[in-house]
Amino acid sequence: MPRPDDSFELSVQRRGRALIINLSILARLADIYSSSNDAVTNAAERFLSDLREIMSDLGEVTVKMASESFFVEDMRVKATKADLDNFAALIKTLDDRGVGSLTFRSSLDAPTIIDCMYALVRGEDLAGIQAALDAASDGAMAVDAAQAARDDSDVDLRDTRLVARRAYAKAVAALVDIHRTLTAGKSLNVKRAKRAVQSLVDSIAKDEPYVLALTTRRKRDHYYFLHCINVAVMAMALGRRLGIDKYAQSRLGMAAIFHDVGLSEEKVEYLAGRSDLSPDEINMLEEHPVEGVRLLLRSRGLNEVSMLSMLIAYEHHMNLDMLGYPRPLKMWNPKVLSRIVRIVDEYDTLLSRKVFGQENFTHEHVLSIMHANARNAYDPQLFGLFLNMIGSA
Amino acid sequence: MGFGDTADDGGVVDIQNKVVSEEEVALVREILKALVKTIKTFTVYPKGNPIYEKFAAEMSEKFAAFFGRTDILSLEVEQNSLSYKGHTVFESEDRHSNFSLILYVDGIRQISFHEGLSEEELVSFIDILRIGPKDDNLDDDVVTLLWDKDLPHISYFVPEEVGEFEMGIEEDLEGVVVEFPSASPSATEAGGAGAKASETASASPIGPGGGGSAAETSASSGAVPGTGLGRLREESEGLRGDALLTATLSLFFELMSAEQDAERFADLARNIGRAISILAEGGDVGGIIKVLRLLRKLADASEDERSRRAIGEAGEMAGSLETMKMLFSGGSDPEMLAEYISLLGKDAVVNVIEILGQSEDRNTRKNLCDALVPFASKDVTPFINALDDARWFLVRNLVLVLGRSKNPDALRPLERSLRHRERRVRNSVIRGLEHLGSKQAVSVLAGLLSDEDRTVRMNALRAMKNADPDTLYPYLLDKVLRADFGRLEFDEKRAALEALGEIGREDALPYLKRLLTKLPIFRRTEVNETRACAAYGLGFVGGETARALLESGTKARTDLVRAACRESLKRFKKNA
């Protein structure tokens, strides 16, 4: 079984951890020794080496601290048992001064970072520390107040519908974030989306009709993201009805989120309400499965979810009669999970036309269109299961 | 009165103020103390053991007793402690048994147990704490394990995100209404009702105010193994691990076949390289062979130099040292390994040689040598460099490979290796020259017949006899007729005279006869030894004359000669 190869996450974890440990050591040494001490200089060099490595990838780096955890690129950095003392020391240093985040905007040299550290450990309040940092680094390093970690304590876990709404909203927010990094050519951080999808899986198990009902809130605003999450939700629900376990449902959901990644947000919204496409537009549409694979290849490394994402992105417009698109050079059998997405994607896309002004695309009208296409386009067993699902919902 | 109720007599106050009764705190402490003991017990005793079962049951009872008074037990998690409503209820600095640390390290800051917690859930939770996730595996953290185990009465808070949260969407969803039964149909009812029911079900819209038809749905999944939906489920569940990788590779090759853009082509090729390393980790030689064959096909079909280079780079991963270490340590089928090596580019030879040097298994070394011969037959360059390796056992194997290659270019490096400090290498060079078998190789062997090392002389004799007996004969004759021949060791004389007899046959007869019949005057032992060796030689000549000579020799006065003649006569009987 391929082991996870979320290279971006692993990379941030590894480098983030090293950065925090070396920052902690530097801060403690700065508290004890003078700036001319070798130990301080060496610690500064080590810290800068980590910082430069991480900045070469991410540009500006912000280290946040909340609920006794550190976050880099909004990803919680996991401490091993061996790191805990260093983490705890830095937490205390920051906590005592009301500092919640440190931002490094541009490259620093050793003397500057040392001055910044002295500004931090000798400062008594946020404003004083920031003023000292400005003087020392000319804005290259900044601090900010502590922020709370996003706290779901307002959610009564017994209120399954509130939990479902929260999970859905988090999934959309995570996808917006992912999309931003994808279009910026950066590697993908999917951890947030993963947790949200897992929560959706649980919600579907507890109250499938309600979660499916959430997909009906179609709007023009954020259409692309809502559509992707709707497809993921319906795919997971259909997968659950097929009998696949929750881990497989979660994988399917994560992969389904990326099914239209080959189309930009603008293109999707442009095409969404249109039925009369020009040849160029049709060409663009038919290219998007392959384009999706290309984008995913560059961004996601090779692991279970990324491979599944690529297959679904490639196959989700293929019909059973081998028409549809793309048209592979050799015989091709779309996978079951792709066939699931084929159906739910079509359903959500057609229903969304109403949002873009085509009022006649009611639920009944959409189903009549799908019935007419069913023989050639969809897996009959899955289509039957799907109709059962939305019929029962 | 349960916990948290307000009371006028003090002690028990509103939960909001987190001031609670000593009794409640003590109960929580008891529970956690019992939890620590239960974790240790589960480590020692297997499931099903009476002691295991007893602890599990007692643990469950303690929780049940707590839930008799309140419906939730929430603990704040810190590095070395747990607290309950502001009171420390567990503390430990022992990194091995401190389960709060396990939770803390994975980001859990609060964990709650809810009324209804079953023994099964508790056992699953304890197993997670006991076995614990690995430090370096991102996906294998406690949070994922908890989710995976599906424990509905255990909840937790992990601060995964910082800062403001986009609430707009959530607020927007608050208006969603579902007007139909909330209970989902059973997912275990069989029947494949999906296909049939679908066509008749008047599906009602899902949505605000949308009345759903009271579901006439029966089966939701109908996914009985063997039935249509069951097969679909099996197919979807089967799409993981190697099957998923294979499907993905098919996709890559499909895209590569159609790709015109060089950079995108290279992207695909790079990912094939990554896929190869995944296959190698799984010891899947067959999978790698398939990929290599496909790559070769692609390369042959490609007219673009850059594409061929990209394909080559993808293939390099297959021949990397890391990949080979994984494959050769996995006990894979030798024939498949040989095929795998044969598909690699010549640049991979260096790595194969390195694996040969590291391998401790005899069969693996043999297979590697067999696989290297075809490479050596085309190009000996990578082998030449490796002949300077400090590991004599590697050099020994390589000289044999060079010999077996029959590549004329192998001669010079073999000759050079005759000067190797290790005798076993020098002897292997002789065998290598024998395998090489060319005129020039035989000429080198001939030169070794008079080497100062007896073992070398004898090995060279043996090798030359196998490689080119006709060329050996005159050298043998020369050796045998030399005045100092008698002074050689017995086994060397025997080997030479036997070879003379075997190769020369009738031509050798007069020489062997002369040696057999020579009576010693001086150097008696030496002469008698030579006579005995001549008898052995006559045994290989065969024929009546030789037989008569040997029979006469059985009456010799010397035991050694008589015994040799008798033994040689046995050869006649055997060959008769």
PDB file of all heavy atoms in Angstrom, chain A residues 110-138:
ATOM      1  N   ALA A 110      22.032  37.349  10.844  1.00  0.00           N
ATOM      2  CA  ALA A 110      22.155  36.907  12.242  1.00  0.00           C
ATOM      3  C   ALA A 110      22.101  38.066  13.239  1.00  0.00           C
ATOM      4  O   ALA A 110      21.357  38.001  14.228  1.00  0.00           O
ATOM      5  CB  ALA A 110      23.425  36.067  12.415  1.00  0.00           C
ATOM      6  N   PRO A 111      22.856  39.143  13.022  1.00  0.00           N
ATOM      7  CA  PRO A 111      22.790  40.232  14.006  1.00  0.00           C
ATOM      8  C   PRO A 111      21.373  40.794  14.160  1.00  0.00           C
ATOM      9  O   PRO A 111      20.936  41.101  15.269  1.00  0.00           O
ATOM     10  CB  PRO A 111      23.728  41.305  13.418  1.00  0.00           C
ATOM     11  CG  PRO A 111      24.648  40.553  12.522  1.00  0.00           C
ATOM     12  CD  PRO A 111      23.866  39.410  11.983  1.00  0.00           C
ATOM     13  N   THR A 112      20.643  40.871  13.049  1.00  0.00           N
ATOM     14  CA  THR A 112      19.284  41.431  13.122  1.00  0.00           C
ATOM     15  C   THR A 112      18.373  40.509  13.906  1.00  0.00           C
ATOM     16  O   THR A 112      17.585  40.955  14.745  1.00  0.00           O
ATOM     17  CB  THR A 112      18.707  41.666  11.714  1.00  0.00           C
ATOM     18  OG1 THR A 112      19.635  42.410  10.945  1.00  0.00           O
ATOM     19  CG2 THR A 112      17.374  42.399  11.776  1.00  0.00           C
ATOM     20  N   ILE A 113      18.442  39.221  13.624  1.00  0.00           N
ATOM     21  CA  ILE A 113      17.547  38.296  14.325  1.00  0.00           C
ATOM     22  C   ILE A 113      17.878  38.270  15.815  1.00  0.00           C
ATOM     23  O   ILE A 113      16.981  38.153  16.659  1.00  0.00           O
ATOM     24  CB  ILE A 113      17.554  36.881  13.694  1.00  0.00           C
ATOM     25  CG1 ILE A 113      16.388  36.032  14.233  1.00  0.00           C
ATOM     26  CG2 ILE A 113      18.812  36.107  13.940  1.00  0.00           C
ATOM     27  CD1 ILE A 113      15.041  36.511  13.878  1.00  0.00           C
ATOM     28  N   ILE A 114      19.136  38.429  16.125  1.00  0.00           N
ATOM     29  CA  ILE A 114      19.509  38.463  17.546  1.00  0.00           C
ATOM     30  C   ILE A 114      18.904  39.693  18.204  1.00  0.00           C
ATOM     31  O   ILE A 114      18.320  39.623  19.293  1.00  0.00           O
ATOM     32  CB  ILE A 114      21.051  38.430  17.698  1.00  0.00           C
ATOM     33  CG1 ILE A 114      21.576  37.047  17.278  1.00  0.00           C
ATOM     34  CG2 ILE A 114      21.463  38.753  19.127  1.00  0.00           C
ATOM     35  CD1 ILE A 114      23.088  36.945  17.189  1.00  0.00           C
ATOM     36  N   ASP A 115      19.025  40.831  17.525  1.00  0.00           N
ATOM     37  CA  ASP A 115      18.414  42.053  18.075  1.00  0.00           C
ATOM     38  C   ASP A 115      16.913  41.878  18.251  1.00  0.00           C
ATOM     39  O   ASP A 115      16.337  42.327  19.247  1.00  0.00           O
ATOM     40  CB  ASP A 115      18.668  43.245  17.134  1.00  0.00           C
ATOM     41  CG  ASP A 115      20.126  43.697  17.179  1.00  0.00           C
ATOM     42  OD1 ASP A 115      20.831  43.322  18.134  1.00  0.00           O
ATOM     43  OD2 ASP A 115      20.552  44.413  16.239  1.00  0.00           O
ATOM     44  N   CYS A 116      16.298  41.215  17.283  1.00  0.00           N
ATOM     45  CA  CYS A 116      14.840  40.990  17.361  1.00  0.00           C
ATOM     46  C   CYS A 116      14.505  40.120  18.563  1.00  0.00           C
ATOM     47  O   CYS A 116      13.513  40.356  19.259  1.00  0.00           O
ATOM     48  CB  CYS A 116      14.328  40.332  16.088  1.00  0.00           C
ATOM     49  SG  CYS A 116      14.296  41.436  14.666  1.00  0.00           S
ATOM     50  N   MET A 117      15.305  39.117  18.789  1.00  0.00           N
ATOM     51  CA  MET A 117      15.047  38.216  19.920  1.00  0.00           C
ATOM     52  C   MET A 117      15.168  38.966  21.239  1.00  0.00           C
ATOM     53  O   MET A 117      14.374  38.757  22.153  1.00  0.00           O
ATOM     54  CB  MET A 117      16.014  37.031  19.910  1.00  0.00           C
ATOM     55  CG  MET A 117      15.627  35.956  18.934  1.00  0.00           C
ATOM     56  SD  MET A 117      14.005  35.244  19.292  1.00  0.00           S
ATOM     57  CE  MET A 117      13.077  35.841  17.914  1.00  0.00           C
ATOM     58  N   TYR A 118      16.163  39.841  21.324  1.00  0.00           N
ATOM     59  CA  TYR A 118      16.292  40.626  22.547  1.00  0.00           C
ATOM     60  C   TYR A 118      15.097  41.548  22.715  1.00  0.00           C
ATOM     61  O   TYR A 118      14.588  41.737  23.814  1.00  0.00           O
ATOM     62  CB  TYR A 118      17.614  41.411  22.554  1.00  0.00           C
ATOM     63  CG  TYR A 118      18.779  40.533  22.941  1.00  0.00           C
ATOM     64  CD1 TYR A 118      19.602  39.968  21.974  1.00  0.00           C
ATOM     65  CD2 TYR A 118      19.009  40.209  24.276  1.00  0.00           C
ATOM     66  CE1 TYR A 118      20.631  39.129  22.319  1.00  0.00           C
ATOM     67  CE2 TYR A 118      20.043  39.356  24.628  1.00  0.00           C
ATOM     68  CZ  TYR A 118      20.851  38.811  23.642  1.00  0.00           C
ATOM     69  OH  TYR A 118      21.860  37.969  23.980  1.00  0.00           O
ATOM     70  N   ALA A 119      14.646  42.086  21.598  1.00  0.00           N
ATOM     71  CA  ALA A 119      13.445  42.938  21.654  1.00  0.00           C
ATOM     72  C   ALA A 119      12.269  42.135  22.172  1.00  0.00           C
ATOM     73  O   ALA A 119      11.448  42.615  22.958  1.00  0.00           O
ATOM     74  CB  ALA A 119      13.137  43.490  20.266  1.00  0.00           C
ATOM     75  N   LEU A 120      12.168  40.886  21.749  1.00  0.00           N
ATOM     76  CA  LEU A 120      11.038  40.042  22.161  1.00  0.00           C
ATOM     77  C   LEU A 120      11.135  39.690  23.639  1.00  0.00           C
ATOM     78  O   LEU A 120      10.185  39.878  24.404  1.00  0.00           O
ATOM     79  CB  LEU A 120      11.000  38.776  21.300  1.00  0.00           C
ATOM     80  CG  LEU A 120       9.930  37.738  21.647  1.00  0.00           C
ATOM     81  CD1 LEU A 120       8.535  38.288  21.360  1.00  0.00           C
ATOM     82  CD2 LEU A 120      10.148  36.450  20.848  1.00  0.00           C
ATOM     83  N   VAL A 121      12.281  39.174  24.065  1.00  0.00           N
ATOM     84  CA  VAL A 121      12.347  38.641  25.443  1.00  0.00           C
ATOM     85  C   VAL A 121      12.398  39.761  26.476  1.00  0.00           C
ATOM     86  O   VAL A 121      12.005  39.569  27.623  1.00  0.00           O
ATOM     87  CB  VAL A 121      13.508  37.647  25.645  1.00  0.00           C
ATOM     88  CG1 VAL A 121      13.388  36.471  24.673  1.00  0.00           C
ATOM     89  CG2 VAL A 121      14.860  38.299  25.507  1.00  0.00           C
ATOM     90  N   ARG A 122      12.884  40.925  26.053  1.00  0.00           N
ATOM     91  CA  ARG A 122      12.959  42.021  27.032  1.00  0.00           C
ATOM     92  C   ARG A 122      11.736  42.916  26.993  1.00  0.00           C
ATOM     93  O   ARG A 122      11.547  43.747  27.868  1.00  0.00           O
ATOM     94  CB  ARG A 122      14.221  42.851  26.787  1.00  0.00           C
ATOM     95  CG  ARG A 122      15.401  42.103  27.363  1.00  0.00           C
ATOM     96  CD  ARG A 122      16.723  42.584  26.964  1.00  0.00           C
ATOM     97  NE  ARG A 122      17.700  41.534  27.344  1.00  0.00           N
ATOM     98  CZ  ARG A 122      18.956  41.568  27.063  1.00  0.00           C
ATOM     99  NH1 ARG A 122      19.445  42.584  26.377  1.00  0.00           N
ATOM    100  NH2 ARG A 122      19.769  40.591  27.425  1.00  0.00           N
ATOM    101  N   GLY A 123      10.908  42.715  25.992  1.00  0.00           N
ATOM    102  CA  GLY A 123       9.710  43.538  25.908  1.00  0.00           C
ATOM    103  C   GLY A 123       8.693  43.139  26.962  1.00  0.00           C
ATOM    104  O   GLY A 123       8.676  41.994  27.402  1.00  0.00           O
ATOM    105  N   GLU A 124       7.867  44.096  27.302  1.00  0.00           N
ATOM    106  CA  GLU A 124       6.878  43.792  28.344  1.00  0.00           C
ATOM    107  C   GLU A 124       5.468  43.734  27.789  1.00  0.00           C
ATOM    108  O   GLU A 124       4.589  43.098  28.376  1.00  0.00           O
ATOM    109  CB  GLU A 124       6.943  44.856  29.449  1.00  0.00           C
ATOM    110  CG  GLU A 124       8.181  44.645  30.316  1.00  0.00           C
ATOM    111  CD  GLU A 124       8.404  45.782  31.296  1.00  0.00           C
ATOM    112  OE1 GLU A 124       7.574  46.702  31.347  1.00  0.00           O
ATOM    113  OE2 GLU A 124       9.430  45.738  32.002  1.00  0.00           O
ATOM    114  N   ASP A 125       5.250  44.417  26.707  1.00  0.00           N
ATOM    115  CA  ASP A 125       3.921  44.364  26.104  1.00  0.00           C
ATOM    116  C   ASP A 125       4.058  44.378  24.593  1.00  0.00           C
ATOM    117  O   ASP A 125       5.126  44.661  24.037  1.00  0.00           O
ATOM    118  CB  ASP A 125       3.023  45.511  26.591  1.00  0.00           C
ATOM    119  CG  ASP A 125       3.650  46.861  26.278  1.00  0.00           C
ATOM    120  OD1 ASP A 125       4.097  47.082  25.117  1.00  0.00           O
ATOM    121  OD2 ASP A 125       3.711  47.710  27.195  1.00  0.00           O
ATOM    122  N   LEU A 126       2.939  44.119  23.972  1.00  0.00           N
ATOM    123  CA  LEU A 126       2.938  43.936  22.519  1.00  0.00           C
ATOM    124  C   LEU A 126       3.412  45.194  21.786  1.00  0.00           C
ATOM    125  O   LEU A 126       4.249  45.122  20.875  1.00  0.00           O
ATOM    126  CB  LEU A 126       1.509  43.586  22.084  1.00  0.00           C
ATOM    127  CG  LEU A 126       1.377  42.851  20.738  1.00  0.00           C
ATOM    128  CD1 LEU A 126       2.066  41.502  20.810  1.00  0.00           C
ATOM    129  CD2 LEU A 126      -0.107  42.658  20.419  1.00  0.00           C
ATOM    130  N   ALA A 127       2.896  46.304  22.187  1.00  0.00           N
ATOM    131  CA  ALA A 127       3.216  47.551  21.483  1.00  0.00           C
ATOM    132  C   ALA A 127       4.709  47.854  21.600  1.00  0.00           C
ATOM    133  O   ALA A 127       5.371  48.218  20.615  1.00  0.00           O
ATOM    134  CB  ALA A 127       2.386  48.704  22.046  1.00  0.00           C
ATOM    135  N   GLY A 128       5.222  47.678  22.820  1.00  0.00           N
ATOM    136  CA  GLY A 128       6.636  47.939  23.055  1.00  0.00           C
ATOM    137  C   GLY A 128       7.511  47.002  22.231  1.00  0.00           C
ATOM    138  O   GLY A 128       8.511  47.412  21.634  1.00  0.00           O
ATOM    139  N   ILE A 129       7.092  45.746  22.178  1.00  0.00           N
ATOM    140  CA  ILE A 129       7.875  44.757  21.431  1.00  0.00           C
ATOM    141  C   ILE A 129       7.861  45.112  19.942  1.00  0.00           C
ATOM    142  O   ILE A 129       8.883  45.086  19.253  1.00  0.00           O
ATOM    143  CB  ILE A 129       7.317  43.336  21.644  1.00  0.00           C
ATOM    144  CG1 ILE A 129       7.551  42.878  23.095  1.00  0.00           C
ATOM    145  CG2 ILE A 129       7.966  42.342  20.685  1.00  0.00           C
ATOM    146  CD1 ILE A 129       6.829  41.608  23.465  1.00  0.00           C
ATOM    147  N   GLN A 130       6.682  45.493  19.433  1.00  0.00           N
ATOM    148  CA  GLN A 130       6.578  45.805  18.005  1.00  0.00           C
ATOM    149  C   GLN A 130       7.449  47.006  17.653  1.00  0.00           C
ATOM    150  O   GLN A 130       8.126  47.004  16.620  1.00  0.00           O
ATOM    151  CB  GLN A 130       5.114  46.062  17.616  1.00  0.00           C
ATOM    152  CG  GLN A 130       4.910  46.232  16.104  1.00  0.00           C
ATOM    153  CD  GLN A 130       5.393  45.023  15.316  1.00  0.00           C
ATOM    154  OE1 GLN A 130       4.843  43.944  15.400  1.00  0.00           O
ATOM    155  NE2 GLN A 130       6.461  45.196  14.540  1.00  0.00           N
ATOM    156  N   ALA A 131       7.434  47.993  18.523  1.00  0.00           N
ATOM    157  CA  ALA A 131       8.245  49.192  18.264  1.00  0.00           C
ATOM    158  C   ALA A 131       9.734  48.828  18.218  1.00  0.00           C
ATOM    159  O   ALA A 131      10.480  49.258  17.326  1.00  0.00           O
ATOM    160  CB  ALA A 131       7.992  50.242  19.350  1.00  0.00           C
ATOM    161  N   ALA A 132      10.135  47.979  19.144  1.00  0.00           N
ATOM    162  CA  ALA A 132      11.542  47.563  19.184  1.00  0.00           C
ATOM    163  C   ALA A 132      11.895  46.736  17.945  1.00  0.00           C
ATOM    164  O   ALA A 132      12.982  46.861  17.374  1.00  0.00           O
ATOM    165  CB  ALA A 132      11.816  46.766  20.461  1.00  0.00           C
ATOM    166  N   LEU A 133      10.958  45.896  17.507  1.00  0.00           N
ATOM    167  CA  LEU A 133      11.203  45.072  16.323  1.00  0.00           C
ATOM    168  C   LEU A 133      11.324  45.937  15.073  1.00  0.00           C
ATOM    169  O   LEU A 133      12.154  45.689  14.199  1.00  0.00           O
ATOM    170  CB  LEU A 133      10.070  44.060  16.126  1.00  0.00           C
ATOM    171  CG  LEU A 133      10.050  42.863  17.075  1.00  0.00           C
ATOM    172  CD1 LEU A 133       8.806  42.018  16.829  1.00  0.00           C
ATOM    173  CD2 LEU A 133      11.286  42.008  16.907  1.00  0.00           C
ATOM    174  N   ASP A 134      10.463  46.953  14.988  1.00  0.00           N
ATOM    175  CA  ASP A 134      10.521  47.862  13.838  1.00  0.00           C
ATOM    176  C   ASP A 134      11.877  48.529  13.768  1.00  0.00           C
ATOM    177  O   ASP A 134      12.481  48.650  12.696  1.00  0.00           O
ATOM    178  CB  ASP A 134       9.415  48.925  13.935  1.00  0.00           C
ATOM    179  CG  ASP A 134       8.049  48.333  13.625  1.00  0.00           C
ATOM    180  OD1 ASP A 134       8.014  47.267  12.977  1.00  0.00           O
ATOM    181  OD2 ASP A 134       7.028  48.928  14.026  1.00  0.00           O
ATOM    182  N   ALA A 135      12.351  48.926  14.928  1.00  0.00           N
ATOM    183  CA  ALA A 135      13.647  49.603  14.971  1.00  0.00           C
ATOM    184  C   ALA A 135      14.762  48.632  14.584  1.00  0.00           C
ATOM    185  O   ALA A 135      15.711  48.990  13.887  1.00  0.00           O
ATOM    186  CB  ALA A 135      13.897  50.174  16.362  1.00  0.00           C
ATOM    187  N   ALA A 136      14.627  47.400  15.033  1.00  0.00           N
ATOM    188  CA  ALA A 136      15.720  46.433  14.813  1.00  0.00           C
ATOM    189  C   ALA A 136      15.698  45.859  13.394  1.00  0.00           C
ATOM    190  O   ALA A 136      16.745  45.613  12.801  1.00  0.00           O
ATOM    191  CB  ALA A 136      15.621  45.297  15.830  1.00  0.00           C
ATOM    192  N   SER A 137      14.501  45.641  12.859  1.00  0.00           N
ATOM    193  CA  SER A 137      14.442  44.871  11.615  1.00  0.00           C
ATOM    194  C   SER A 137      13.816  45.627  10.450  1.00  0.00           C
ATOM    195  O   SER A 137      13.666  45.062   9.368  1.00  0.00           O
ATOM    196  CB  SER A 137      13.637  43.588  11.848  1.00  0.00           C
ATOM    197  OG  SER A 137      12.259  43.909  12.031  1.00  0.00           O
ATOM    198  N   ASP A 138      13.405  46.857  10.713  1.00  0.00           N
ATOM    199  CA  ASP A 138      12.800  47.660   9.650  1.00  0.00           C
ATOM    200  C   ASP A 138      11.568  46.957   9.057  1.00  0.00           C
ATOM    201  O   ASP A 138      11.375  46.923   7.836  1.00  0.00           O
ATOM    202  CB  ASP A 138      13.849  47.902   8.540  1.00  0.00           C
ATOM    203  CG  ASP A 138      13.487  49.130   7.711  1.00  0.00           C
ATOM    204  OD1 ASP A 138      12.704  49.972   8.203  1.00  0.00           O
ATOM    205  OD2 ASP A 138      13.955  49.233   6.553  1.00  0.00           O
TER     206      ASP A 138
END
